[in-house]
Amino acid sequence: MQRRTFIQNTGLLTAALSTTGTELLARSAPVTAARNKLPKWKGFNLLDFFSPDPAKSRKGTTEDHLKWMQDWGFDFVRLPMAYPYYLKFDRSRNITPDEVYQIDPRAVDRIDELVTMAHKHNLHVSLNLHRAPGYCVNAGFHEPYNLWTDQAALDAFCFHWNMWAKRYKNVSAKKISFDLLNEPGMRADMNDQHSKRGSVPGEVYRKVALAASEAIWKENKNHLIIADGNDTGSSVIPSIADLNIAQSCRGYNPGTISHYKAPWANKDPEHLPEPKWPGQVGDKYLSRAMLETFYQPWIELVNKGVGVHCGECGCWNKTPHDVFLAWFGDVLDILSKNGIGFALWEFIGDFGILNSGRADVAYEDWHGYKLDRKLLELIRKV
């Protein structure tokens, strides 16, 4: 599996946006020490629609899976979607800009079925474009343009979000949210995974986020919108902090722990220093203190009145289990103490609580799945 700054706005716009989803939720959200405008949701990413090609999708989430989540006390699922998944076009060649608008109603219905089923089990659903027209943190599907530089891509991006907003026009912000774009970043070539990378300039991020948000709010001014942090989810976005848009951080720091030996994240995955927590790993001493420093800007954002959630977190299955749990316990404790919820990447699979494929876990049989009970209990208790 592959995974992957403030331009002041007019007072009129701020007033116009003052009754959108995050404020709606703030009225009903539990009061926390950090006064997070978002509820402290906790749950999972579900990867049913993660692949651009439906024929290559993994086995779908079942109602039993959602019932287990509910029974275990979870209340949130994030659906990272690749927009080509729900399009009709000739997949034997590269997609054209015109074809980006060719919605496949049957594929959209399949997504809606999972949304409806999750709502049945009292799970908030966050729809996310993991791959949007003109951008994905991962290559692997040929994009016809660049979201950050091409108006045609931005127009298509807004079209897609307006479609989803319209479909859920009458659904409460307590039940659904719209996570605009997974892990934004600049890349010189959208179709070259290893081309030069950098931060999205603040004014560019604001333009894209505001355009998509307006396309969503056109259908329902109370729709709840979330924007992933800059620098592939790691940095707060000051340029949109005056807007009524929540922000999403990540729980993958440091990558030497979370992505140990991951081939898509390391140039030489087989020759890496053994991870420790806490401890000296290579030229760095890894500790809770570094996590406190990393999350401080996000905590400050919460205290400034911006809703924050950790849309993805977890650890690939090559990190020793005891190191993973020690590190992840610190990550979740820092988030939880500041009223920030989280979504584990993923439910079933290498990062998940079921069938993670770790070689050093005494799994418990769970209805035919291999359950990592220690990880489950860790994420349940925060």
Side-chain angles (χ1 to χ4, degrees), residues 5 135 137 148 181-187 197-206 227-240 246-250 294 298 301:
T5 297
Y135 179 79
V137 68
W148 308 114
L181 181 67
N182 182 72
E183 299 180 358
M186 291 295 287
R187 194 162 67 227
R197 296 171 178 249
S199 302
V200 180
E203 67 275 11
V204 175
Y205 198 124
R206 181 184 178 92
D228 282 12
N230 208 335
D231 304 302
T232 63
S234 63
S235 304
V236 300
I237 320 155
S239 61
I240 66 168
Q247 298 191 29
S248 178
C249 63
R250 290 295 178 267
F294 176 78
W298 294 98
L301 196 63

Side-chain angles (χ1 to χ4, degrees), residues 249-253 258 294-295 310 312-315 327-328 331 335:
C249 63
R250 290 295 178 267
Y252 296 131
N253 182 272
S258 67
F294 176 78
Y295 286 110
C310 182
E312 289 184 24
C313 56
C315 185
W327 162 77
F328 202 42
V331 171
L335 294 173

Side-chain angles (χ1 to χ4, degrees), residues 350-370:
D350 295 353
F351 284 71
I353 61 171
L354 297 173
N355 294 0
S356 62
R358 296 180 180 275
D360 56 351
V361 172
Y363 289 106
E364 173 185 323
D365 179 72
W366 183 264
H367 302 278
Y369 292 88
K370 294 181 177 181

Side-chain angles (χ1 to χ4, degrees), residues 249-270:
C249 63
R250 290 295 178 267
Y252 296 131
N253 182 272
T256 48
I257 299 290
S258 67
H259 287 70
Y260 177 59
K261 289 192 174 183
W264 67 92
N266 298 281
K267 292 182 179 180
D268 188 11
E270 294 305 317

Side-chain angles (χ1 to χ4, degrees), residues 131 139-145 187-193 195:
R131 176 174 293 280
F141 176 88
H142 194 277
E143 290 299 329
Y145 35 38
R187 194 162 67 227
D189 183 348
M190 284 300 156
N191 297 304
D192 180 359
Q193 186 74 29
S195 64

